[in-house]
Amino acid sequence: GRGSPQAPGLFWMTMANWGGRANWGGGTAPKASFKDTAPVLRRLFGLIRPYRRTLYLSTGLLIPATTLGLLHPLFWKYVVDDVLLPKAYGKLLPVLLWMTAMHLFSVSVDGWRSWLLDRAGARVVFDLRNRIYRKLQGQSLSYFHKNKTGDLQIRVMDDMSSVQDVAIKGFDTILSETARFLWVCGVLLWLQWKVGLLSLVPLVFVWLGNRTFGRKMKGIYKDARDRQGEIGAKLSENLQGIAVIKS
């Protein structure tokens, strides 16, 4: 953070250390260029490897969870075209029962997936925090004089939670949203390909808007994280100072 210019990010330092490029003696955290990020991500996925079976299972459950969750519009199409318009009301109850059963099954599968992801993410963060704690134990006394204790605490706790969001939940979000997008596009093109292609045109503008928004938010989010580190460091040191003064 800016409040402690000599303290590099613990996550980056630990990852660099596993790759043989440790830099715990000072300096700012490296900029997140692709050249520097790619090796870090490979080492991060090395942490995930022991829990790959859980992640494989969660990914496998993604297909039925996404498919069943998007079948409701097709059911309503059937209700309108084959039940309400021809006034075949005897078919309505079975369709509603099927919709209810598929919705409950989809919610159950999605809840199971969420539990598996949270469990794997918590274990990855637990392993990473233990490695960082062991790394901190081996630092010299001068290192702790140069770096604020509160800043280190914020980095160990909050940054590791961000790792869980990126490595586990972020990757799952990309997969689920991609599957959802492909499913919706396929159904639209199957029902009416001309209308389907026309409905995809606004996505170009949405992509451009998201790209611009992401670039602007990157700097804002970095400033917010830096200020959060400053506040946490000051709070921790002030609380420790109050205890010393009162004693």
Side-chain angles (χ1 to χ4, degrees), residues 174-193:
I174 293 175
L175 288 180
S176 61
E177 294 302 324
T178 301
R180 194 184 307 273
F181 173 76
L182 295 177
W183 170 263
V184 172
C185 290
V187 172
L188 287 176
L189 296 176
W190 173 63
L191 293 176
Q192 182 56 259
W193 66 271

mmCIF file of all heavy atoms in Angstrom, residues 174-193:
data_model
loop_
_atom_site.group_PDB
_atom_site.id
_atom_site.type_symbol
_atom_site.label_atom_id
_atom_site.label_comp_id
_atom_site.label_asym_id
_atom_site.label_seq_id
_atom_site.Cartn_x
_atom_site.Cartn_y
_atom_site.Cartn_z
ATOM 1 N N ILE A 174 -16.705 -17.431 -14.834
ATOM 2 C CA ILE A 174 -16.433 -17.375 -16.269
ATOM 3 C C ILE A 174 -17.026 -18.589 -16.979
ATOM 4 O O ILE A 174 -17.674 -18.465 -18.032
ATOM 5 C CB ILE A 174 -14.919 -17.287 -16.507
ATOM 6 C CG1 ILE A 174 -14.376 -15.955 -15.992
ATOM 7 C CG2 ILE A 174 -14.604 -17.449 -17.992
ATOM 8 C CD1 ILE A 174 -12.871 -15.834 -16.069
ATOM 9 N N LEU A 175 -16.836 -19.779 -16.400
ATOM 10 C CA LEU A 175 -17.373 -20.986 -17.025
ATOM 11 C C LEU A 175 -18.901 -20.976 -17.065
ATOM 12 O O LEU A 175 -19.507 -21.282 -18.101
ATOM 13 C CB LEU A 175 -16.885 -22.222 -16.263
ATOM 14 C CG LEU A 175 -15.414 -22.609 -16.418
ATOM 15 C CD1 LEU A 175 -15.108 -23.844 -15.587
ATOM 16 C CD2 LEU A 175 -15.072 -22.858 -17.876
ATOM 17 N N SER A 176 -19.527 -20.630 -15.947
ATOM 18 C CA SER A 176 -20.985 -20.664 -15.882
ATOM 19 C C SER A 176 -21.613 -19.635 -16.809
ATOM 20 O O SER A 176 -22.594 -19.927 -17.507
ATOM 21 C CB SER A 176 -21.450 -20.436 -14.439
ATOM 22 O OG SER A 176 -21.026 -19.177 -13.962
ATOM 23 N N GLU A 177 -21.051 -18.421 -16.839
ATOM 24 C CA GLU A 177 -21.617 -17.391 -17.708
ATOM 25 C C GLU A 177 -21.377 -17.715 -19.181
ATOM 26 O O GLU A 177 -22.230 -17.417 -20.023
ATOM 27 C CB GLU A 177 -21.014 -16.022 -17.362
ATOM 28 C CG GLU A 177 -21.387 -15.518 -15.983
ATOM 29 C CD GLU A 177 -22.898 -15.403 -15.800
ATOM 30 O OE1 GLU A 177 -23.591 -15.040 -16.767
ATOM 31 O OE2 GLU A 177 -23.380 -15.680 -14.685
ATOM 32 N N THR A 178 -20.241 -18.332 -19.500
ATOM 33 C CA THR A 178 -19.991 -18.741 -20.877
ATOM 34 C C THR A 178 -20.979 -19.816 -21.315
ATOM 35 O O THR A 178 -21.541 -19.758 -22.420
ATOM 36 C CB THR A 178 -18.552 -19.247 -21.034
ATOM 37 O OG1 THR A 178 -17.638 -18.207 -20.661
ATOM 38 C CG2 THR A 178 -18.279 -19.664 -22.469
ATOM 39 N N ALA A 179 -21.200 -20.808 -20.433
ATOM 40 C CA ALA A 179 -22.167 -21.858 -20.754
ATOM 41 C C ALA A 179 -23.571 -21.285 -20.903
ATOM 42 O O ALA A 179 -24.328 -21.672 -21.807
ATOM 43 C CB ALA A 179 -22.143 -22.934 -19.667
ATOM 44 N N ARG A 180 -23.927 -20.353 -20.040
ATOM 45 C CA ARG A 180 -25.244 -19.734 -20.122
ATOM 46 C C ARG A 180 -25.406 -18.953 -21.431
ATOM 47 O O ARG A 180 -26.447 -19.013 -22.091
ATOM 48 C CB ARG A 180 -25.442 -18.809 -18.916
ATOM 49 C CG ARG A 180 -26.880 -18.352 -18.698
ATOM 50 C CD ARG A 180 -26.918 -17.359 -17.545
ATOM 51 N NE ARG A 180 -26.280 -17.914 -16.359
ATOM 52 C CZ ARG A 180 -26.908 -18.653 -15.458
ATOM 53 N NH1 ARG A 180 -28.194 -18.901 -15.603
ATOM 54 N NH2 ARG A 180 -26.253 -19.106 -14.403
ATOM 55 N N PHE A 181 -24.354 -18.223 -21.803
ATOM 56 C CA PHE A 181 -24.403 -17.428 -23.029
ATOM 57 C C PHE A 181 -24.547 -18.323 -24.259
ATOM 58 O O PHE A 181 -25.365 -18.056 -25.151
ATOM 59 C CB PHE A 181 -23.146 -16.569 -23.130
ATOM 60 C CG PHE A 181 -23.002 -15.826 -24.417
ATOM 61 C CD1 PHE A 181 -23.761 -14.698 -24.667
ATOM 62 C CD2 PHE A 181 -22.095 -16.268 -25.378
ATOM 63 C CE1 PHE A 181 -23.627 -14.013 -25.875
ATOM 64 C CE2 PHE A 181 -21.959 -15.591 -26.576
ATOM 65 C CZ PHE A 181 -22.729 -14.463 -26.824
ATOM 66 N N LEU A 182 -23.757 -19.388 -24.322
ATOM 67 C CA LEU A 182 -23.824 -20.291 -25.464
ATOM 68 C C LEU A 182 -25.185 -20.978 -25.557
ATOM 69 O O LEU A 182 -25.726 -21.172 -26.652
ATOM 70 C CB LEU A 182 -22.705 -21.333 -25.374
ATOM 71 C CG LEU A 182 -21.277 -20.794 -25.488
ATOM 72 C CD1 LEU A 182 -20.266 -21.912 -25.300
ATOM 73 C CD2 LEU A 182 -21.064 -20.105 -26.834
ATOM 74 N N TRP A 183 -25.741 -21.347 -24.400
ATOM 75 C CA TRP A 183 -27.051 -21.996 -24.384
ATOM 76 C C TRP A 183 -28.134 -21.049 -24.909
ATOM 77 O O TRP A 183 -28.950 -21.422 -25.749
ATOM 78 C CB TRP A 183 -27.381 -22.463 -22.973
ATOM 79 C CG TRP A 183 -28.798 -22.915 -22.803
ATOM 80 C CD1 TRP A 183 -29.844 -22.186 -22.323
ATOM 81 C CD2 TRP A 183 -29.341 -24.202 -23.128
ATOM 82 N NE1 TRP A 183 -30.988 -22.916 -22.319
ATOM 83 C CE2 TRP A 183 -30.722 -24.166 -22.802
ATOM 84 C CE3 TRP A 183 -28.807 -25.371 -23.640
ATOM 85 C CZ2 TRP A 183 -31.560 -25.251 -22.990
ATOM 86 C CZ3 TRP A 183 -29.651 -26.466 -23.827
ATOM 87 C CH2 TRP A 183 -31.005 -26.397 -23.510
ATOM 88 N N VAL A 184 -28.131 -19.823 -24.416
ATOM 89 C CA VAL A 184 -29.133 -18.846 -24.848
ATOM 90 C C VAL A 184 -28.992 -18.550 -26.332
ATOM 91 O O VAL A 184 -29.993 -18.482 -27.067
ATOM 92 C CB VAL A 184 -29.027 -17.556 -24.015
ATOM 93 C CG1 VAL A 184 -29.925 -16.465 -24.584
ATOM 94 C CG2 VAL A 184 -29.402 -17.830 -22.564
ATOM 95 N N CYS A 185 -27.763 -18.369 -26.805
ATOM 96 C CA CYS A 185 -27.551 -18.111 -28.232
ATOM 97 C C CYS A 185 -28.028 -19.287 -29.088
ATOM 98 O O CYS A 185 -28.663 -19.089 -30.136
ATOM 99 C CB CYS A 185 -26.073 -17.851 -28.501
ATOM 100 S SG CYS A 185 -25.463 -16.284 -27.842
ATOM 101 N N GLY A 186 -27.733 -20.496 -28.627
ATOM 102 C CA GLY A 186 -28.179 -21.672 -29.379
ATOM 103 C C GLY A 186 -29.690 -21.772 -29.461
ATOM 104 O O GLY A 186 -30.251 -22.085 -30.521
ATOM 105 N N VAL A 187 -30.374 -21.503 -28.372
ATOM 106 C CA VAL A 187 -31.840 -21.573 -28.373
ATOM 107 C C VAL A 187 -32.432 -20.492 -29.272
ATOM 108 O O VAL A 187 -33.383 -20.736 -30.032
ATOM 109 C CB VAL A 187 -32.377 -21.443 -26.930
ATOM 110 C CG1 VAL A 187 -33.893 -21.304 -26.937
ATOM 111 C CG2 VAL A 187 -31.972 -22.661 -26.117
ATOM 112 N N LEU A 188 -31.878 -19.276 -29.202
ATOM 113 C CA LEU A 188 -32.391 -18.184 -30.037
ATOM 114 C C LEU A 188 -32.219 -18.501 -31.521
ATOM 115 O O LEU A 188 -33.134 -18.281 -32.329
ATOM 116 C CB LEU A 188 -31.662 -16.884 -29.694
ATOM 117 C CG LEU A 188 -32.012 -16.229 -28.355
ATOM 118 C CD1 LEU A 188 -31.139 -15.007 -28.123
ATOM 119 C CD2 LEU A 188 -33.478 -15.834 -28.302
ATOM 120 N N LEU A 189 -31.057 -19.020 -31.882
ATOM 121 C CA LEU A 189 -30.821 -19.355 -33.282
ATOM 122 C C LEU A 189 -31.668 -20.540 -33.721
ATOM 123 O O LEU A 189 -32.062 -20.629 -34.892
ATOM 124 C CB LEU A 189 -29.339 -19.646 -33.505
ATOM 125 C CG LEU A 189 -28.391 -18.470 -33.273
ATOM 126 C CD1 LEU A 189 -26.935 -18.914 -33.436
ATOM 127 C CD2 LEU A 189 -28.689 -17.322 -34.226
ATOM 128 N N TRP A 190 -31.963 -21.438 -32.821
ATOM 129 C CA TRP A 190 -32.799 -22.593 -33.154
ATOM 130 C C TRP A 190 -34.261 -22.192 -33.354
ATOM 131 O O TRP A 190 -34.927 -22.684 -34.279
ATOM 132 C CB TRP A 190 -32.689 -23.636 -32.054
ATOM 133 C CG TRP A 190 -33.643 -24.789 -32.203
ATOM 134 C CD1 TRP A 190 -33.685 -25.705 -33.221
ATOM 135 C CD2 TRP A 190 -34.697 -25.130 -31.309
ATOM 136 N NE1 TRP A 190 -34.696 -26.608 -33.018
ATOM 137 C CE2 TRP A 190 -35.336 -26.278 -31.841
ATOM 138 C CE3 TRP A 190 -35.155 -24.604 -30.113
ATOM 139 C CZ2 TRP A 190 -36.413 -26.883 -31.208
ATOM 140 C CZ3 TRP A 190 -36.226 -25.207 -29.489
ATOM 141 C CH2 TRP A 190 -36.853 -26.332 -30.027
ATOM 142 N N LEU A 191 -34.745 -21.298 -32.521
ATOM 143 C CA LEU A 191 -36.139 -20.870 -32.636
ATOM 144 C C LEU A 191 -36.350 -19.981 -33.869
ATOM 145 O O LEU A 191 -37.296 -20.187 -34.626
ATOM 146 C CB LEU A 191 -36.553 -20.123 -31.366
ATOM 147 C CG LEU A 191 -36.625 -20.951 -30.087
ATOM 148 C CD1 LEU A 191 -36.947 -20.063 -28.890
ATOM 149 C CD2 LEU A 191 -37.673 -22.062 -30.209
ATOM 150 N N GLN A 192 -35.489 -18.972 -34.026
ATOM 151 C CA GLN A 192 -35.621 -18.035 -35.149
ATOM 152 C C GLN A 192 -34.258 -17.408 -35.378
ATOM 153 O O GLN A 192 -33.864 -16.488 -34.663
ATOM 154 C CB GLN A 192 -36.667 -16.977 -34.826
ATOM 155 C CG GLN A 192 -36.930 -15.982 -35.925
ATOM 156 C CD GLN A 192 -37.343 -16.622 -37.248
ATOM 157 O OE1 GLN A 192 -36.504 -16.738 -38.144
ATOM 158 N NE2 GLN A 192 -38.593 -17.056 -37.340
ATOM 159 N N TRP A 193 -33.528 -17.902 -36.362
ATOM 160 C CA TRP A 193 -32.137 -17.493 -36.504
ATOM 161 C C TRP A 193 -31.991 -16.014 -36.872
ATOM 162 O O TRP A 193 -31.033 -15.365 -36.466
ATOM 163 C CB TRP A 193 -31.434 -18.369 -37.531
ATOM 164 C CG TRP A 193 -31.923 -18.223 -38.938
ATOM 165 C CD1 TRP A 193 -32.921 -18.901 -39.547
ATOM 166 C CD2 TRP A 193 -31.388 -17.325 -39.927
ATOM 167 N NE1 TRP A 193 -33.083 -18.498 -40.839
ATOM 168 C CE2 TRP A 193 -32.142 -17.533 -41.118
ATOM 169 C CE3 TRP A 193 -30.364 -16.383 -39.927
ATOM 170 C CZ2 TRP A 193 -31.906 -16.816 -42.278
ATOM 171 C CZ3 TRP A 193 -30.114 -15.669 -41.088
ATOM 172 C CH2 TRP A 193 -30.876 -15.876 -42.242
#
